[in-house]
Structures are given as structure tokens and as C-alpha cells.
Amino acid sequence: MINIGLIGFGNVGKSVFDIFAENGDLISNRIGQPIHIKKIAVRSIEKYSSQVPDPSLLTDSVDDILQDPDIDIVVEVMGGDQPAYNFITQALTHKKHVVTANKEVVSKHKRHFFQCAKEHGVDIYFEAAVGGGIPIIRSLKVGFSANNITAFYGIVNGTTNYILTKIQEEGKDFNTVLKTAQELGFAEADPTMDISGLDAAYKCVILAAVAFKIDVQLDSVYYEGIESISLKDIQYADELGFRIKLLAIGNRIDPDTFSLHVHPTLIPKEHPLSSVRNEFNATYIVGDQVGESMLMGKGAGGSPTASAVISDIIDISFNLSQSVSYRNLETRFSDAQVQSFDAHECQVYFRLSVKNTPGVLEQVSLQFSKHSISIEKIIQKEMIDDRADVVIITSPMSESTSRLLQENILSLDSCHQISSVLRLIKSF
Ligand code: HSE
């Protein structure tokens, strides 16, 4: 008999419980022995007692799980850094395997957890921390393990992908779509972490750890959210043959140097990532042997996330009946050089609001040539009174050049404002 202790009974915890109720026999058969949830730690027993068939399953003391010698696997689905960090550390120290869906705690403390798990002869699994139900962590650890992974491009936040899709497909502005997304339950009441790109940045750190075997922290990842993406940009990008997606990007620049960044990105409409709509997530991996490979699926929500949590429980259970595999533990987990984002180069999309007078385009284009940047496309769009929108797509430039260029353009009398600056990737 394998016993599980569940810490947290929100959307994901409840779904884990429900899947065990529905598919428990199937799961036990797959593992080859009975498995069941022995205890569930919650803040308030009263609040959750109607949601379980037997309220004695609930406890408001996590120690009832951490100190119980019969519990083999602790499943942490409460989220956040503290007290989750303490609970996971204590569980590992008590020689309990851990499954967590918590991107923040894994992103911040992975090295500590791997070491602690190894020291105590147990494992920690975190499939659900990135991409919800998509088996991206297991694919990187196992399926792609013959490869040197050279790059990943992830749509790893469902809320922002839903918002960008709806702006594009329904022609509504950001705030209107956000409000509808909240009403429909796709966006949190406080969506700051999603919208700002922070959620995707945590996931970028975890993908870097698993894909590149490097230990970096959030401060090595440049991130930008979708707050400034307007309907106009989405429409202009569409006319030019692009979609705008919030991508978490990791590139191996040389064997020991990496670039990690999260930002809205223009990508060709024909690229497979462009077809990932609404709340769906996808991860596009480039390996030196496998080439390009994309996994797509539901990146959030109770059942898809719980599906990933239970896959980890099953993996650990296999290992329990054999021996611990340590497949998860990054024995060659190294510190890495992460390229400063200033040096990162890519093509850029600019939207400028300029005076609609003769010679303006010449003045603007002169600024680009001064920095040896060539203009791939320049289009004059909407005119309102004496102002015109000008959209420019450039040859690749570094972030530092882009900033200098923006200063130069803004100093022109003929430029009212730089409305948008977005990065563009054509080849992956
Ligand atoms: N809030 C996240 C999203 C899901 O919208 O994708 C949990 O990581």
C-alpha cells in the first residue's frame, strides 16, 4: 500500500482527489499495488469537510502528514514560497518523496531540494509546475535525454495566451478581454503575476534547469508582460504575417552560456506556436539530434494540472516498488553564465506616432542607418489629424542598440511617441 499526504485542497488538490476517486483502480493497477490519499492538510477543516466523503481525512496540522511514518509521498499543491519551502524540505528530510505543482518554490529552491532529496534517498518531482498537463518536464528529462538541447520557446502562461488570442480574434482591447477572462474564470482576480510575465519567468527558470541542467534564479531572466500590447499592434502584426505570443525563451549561445528571456514576441503566422490559441500552452524544443519538437496542451486548470501531479505520483510509485531512480536529480547541475539581456540580438517591430509632414520618414530612417540597422519593412498606417502611425520592422539589433535608437528617434521633433517596441523572431 502506498500512502499519500496532500498539502493544499484548492482547485488542483481537489482535482487530484477527484481523479483518485474516478481512476483509482486504474492507477493502482498500473502501479501494481494499492495507492490512496491518507491525509489532506488544509487551513480550515470546516471549510472543506463537505468536499470529502470522510472528514477525518482532513487535518489542519501539516505535521500529521510530515510525521506520519506510513506516508510515502507528500503532494504539495498549496503554492507560494513559504511555508511550502519548509514543508517540502521537512518532507524530504523525513525521507518522503515529494510531488509539487509549485513553480515559485521549485524555481527558487530547486538546487536545495535536489540536494536534500539525494541526501535522504528520495525524489522530488514537479511535472505540473510548467505547462500544466503537458508532460514537458518528463519529456526533457527522459524523452529528449539523448540531446543537447539548444533552445526552447514556450507559451507557458494560459491567461496571457487567452487574452492575446481574444484581442486578435475578437478585435477587442486588452482591458475588455481581461475583464471577460476574469468573469469566465480564465484569469485570476489578481492577474498581476500572469500579465506581468512573472509566472512565465518562473517557468523559464525551471525549463532552463531541466533543459540545460543549469541553476539560475529569476534575476537572470529578463521578463516583460503583455500590459502594453494593444489591439493595433496585434492587427498590424497580423497584416504583416505575424502573431504576437508571450514566449519564455532559452537559448544555448555556447556550451556554457545561455540567454533567458520572457516577452511578447512577433512570430510568423505559419509557425506551429502561432496555432496555439486561448488558454492552451505549448513548448517548442530544439535538440541537436531530435530537431524541433512541439508539445501542446492545457497549461492550467484543475484536471490537467492534477493529471501531471498524478503522473509524478505514479512514477515515484514505480520507483518505490523497484528502487529510487534519481532520474530527476540533476547530478551535474551547474552554475551558468547567462548573457546580459543588453547583448541579446533580434529583429524589432517599432510602432511610432509621427507628424504627418513631408520628410518625416527620411528623418526616422536616418536614425536607423546611423546605427547600421537596415529597415526590412516600413509602412505608414492610420492617420489622425496631423499624426500618422508608422510601423517598422528592422534587421537584428542588440537590446542596447534598440534603446539608443529609441532615444534618438524620440529626440526628433517629428516624432510624437514610440508607441510599441516588440521583438520579432522569424527562424527558430
Ligand atoms: N496562472 C497560470 C496560467 C497557471 O495562466 O497559465 C498556473 O501556473
Side-chain angles (χ1 to χ4, degrees):
M1 166 72 86
I2 293 174
N3 289 309
I4 295 168
L6 199 56
I7 304 179
F9 204 56
N11 200 15
V12 177
K14 176 80 170 57
S15 296
V16 169
F17 187 84
D18 290 345
I19 293 176
F20 267 102
E22 195 177 329
N23 286 357
D25 288 346
L26 175 152
I27 294 167
S28 291
N29 281 338
R30 285 199 176 142
I31 296 167
Q33 57 180 312
I35 179 163
H36 92 305
I37 295 175
K38 188 174 180 207
K39 268 286 174 245
I40 303 170
V42 290
R43 283 208 179 89
S44 154
I45 294 177
E46 203 188 337
K47 183 174 166 194
Y48 295 102
S49 55
S50 63
Q51 297 186 33
V52 285
D54 174 7
S56 74
L57 270 172
L58 301 175
T59 174
D60 54 11
S61 165
V62 178
D63 276 346
D64 286 347
I65 289 176
L66 299 175
Q67 308 282 351
D68 183 341
D70 291 336
I71 288 185
D72 308 286
I73 303 173
V74 171
V75 177
E76 182 273 310
V77 282
M78 64 186 302
D81 186 4
Q82 287 290 6
Y85 166 83
N86 282 340
F87 295 158
I88 292 175
T89 303
Q90 283 179 54
L92 295 171
T93 310
H94 285 93
K95 297 187 184 300
K96 297 184 189 311
H97 300 272
V98 170
V99 174
T100 173
N102 184 335
K103 70 223 151 200
E104 184 175 349
V105 86
V106 174
S107 153
K108 288 181 179 167
H109 307 293
K110 52 201 171 313
R111 196 170 201 155
H112 161 78
F113 290 150
F114 293 152
Q115 277 164 357
C116 189
K118 190 167 190 185
E119 226 173 281
H120 294 92
V122 285
D123 264 332
I124 172 162
Y125 277 52
F126 47 93
E127 182 61 71
V130 183
I134 308 174
I136 182 58
I137 302 297
R138 189 166 282 100
S139 298
L140 284 166
K141 276 182 352 196
V142 185
F144 298 128
S145 57
N147 288 261
N148 211 5
I149 302 295
T150 52
F152 63 78
Y153 302 87
I155 295 174
V156 289
N157 184 270
T159 305
T160 47
N161 202 43
Y162 176 87
I163 292 172
L164 291 174
T165 307
K166 290 296 176 199
I167 298 177
Q168 199 252 316
E169 294 182 0
E170 295 180 4
K172 293 180 181 156
D173 65 34
F174 179 91
N175 288 323
T176 311
V177 173
L178 174 60
K179 197 160 165 279
T180 316
Q182 284 173 317
E183 280 161 13
L184 292 172
F186 286 120
E188 310 270 348
D190 177 6
T192 320
M193 199 161 152
D194 297 307
I195 305 290
S196 68
L198 176 58
D199 175 84
Y202 279 133
K203 292 166 179 170
C204 190
V205 167
I206 299 175
L207 286 175
V210 186
F212 302 140
K213 316 290 180 218
I214 58 171
D215 182 23
V216 296
Q217 287 293 318
L218 191 66
D219 55 11
S220 298
V221 180
Y222 171 84
Y223 71 92
E224 216 176 83
I226 64 160
E227 305 91 329
S228 61
I229 300 294
S230 71
L231 174 58
K232 262 190 188 177
D233 289 317
I234 289 189
Q235 287 172 336
Y236 291 164
D238 184 62
E239 284 173 38
L240 292 163
F242 299 97
R243 291 276 177 266
I244 300 179
K245 294 289 183 189
L246 183 71
L247 294 187
I249 301 173
N251 277 298
R252 188 188 292 272
I253 297 166
D254 64 41
D256 300 314
T257 313
F258 302 86
S259 118
L260 301 169
H261 36 110
V262 173
H263 44 71
T265 313
L266 274 75
I267 57 173
K269 277 186 202 175
E270 310 74 46
H271 192 276
L273 284 168
S274 287
S275 66
V276 180
R277 297 169 57 243
N278 296 327
E279 73 276 26
F280 276 79
N281 280 200
T283 323
Y284 188 88
I285 302 291
V286 188
D288 61 351
Q289 305 305 320
V290 74
E292 296 91 9
S293 182
M294 187 168 102
L295 291 168
M296 175 185 157
K298 288 199 174 153
S303 298
T305 309
S307 152
V309 167
I310 294 176
S311 76
D312 283 345
I313 295 174
I314 294 174
D315 241 13
I316 288 173
S317 302
F318 282 144
N319 294 340
L320 277 173
S321 51
Q322 314 291 320
S323 58
V324 175
S325 75
Y326 293 120
R327 194 160 64 182
N328 194 40
L329 302 171
E330 311 301 347
T331 46
R332 290 180 58 244
F333 204 45
S334 59
D335 293 319
Q337 296 261 36
V338 177
Q339 184 195 54
S340 152
F341 194 59
D342 281 352
H344 170 256
E345 288 202 6
C346 71
Q347 288 189 257
V348 182
Y349 160 104
F350 288 93
R351 177 161 61 89
L352 314 177
S353 172
V354 297
K355 270 187 194 152
N356 186 24
T357 50
V360 171
L361 288 189
E362 191 186 343
Q363 287 171 26
V364 170
S365 59
L366 188 63
Q367 303 308 315
F368 287 82
S369 58
K370 269 192 200 160
H371 290 277
S372 305
I373 301 301
S374 82
I375 292 178
E376 190 171 279
K377 265 190 187 137
I378 180 162
I379 303 172
Q380 182 165 324
K381 303 297 298 182
E382 195 176 89
M383 272 182 277
I384 299 173
D385 302 327
D386 67 333
R387 294 184 183 205
D389 259 356
V390 172
V391 170
I392 298 169
I393 290 181
T394 71
S395 62
M397 71 178 87
S398 67
E399 292 292 328
S400 48
T401 303
S402 170
R403 270 203 309 278
L404 280 178
L405 190 53
Q406 289 172 51
E407 279 170 26
N408 295 160
I409 294 170
L410 272 176
S411 70
L412 295 173
D413 283 344
S414 53
C415 180
H416 288 296
Q417 68 171 28
I418 299 178
S419 310
S420 307
V421 180
L422 296 168
R423 295 151 193 102
L424 184 153
I425 301 179
K426 271 199 212 142
S427 48
F428 285 73

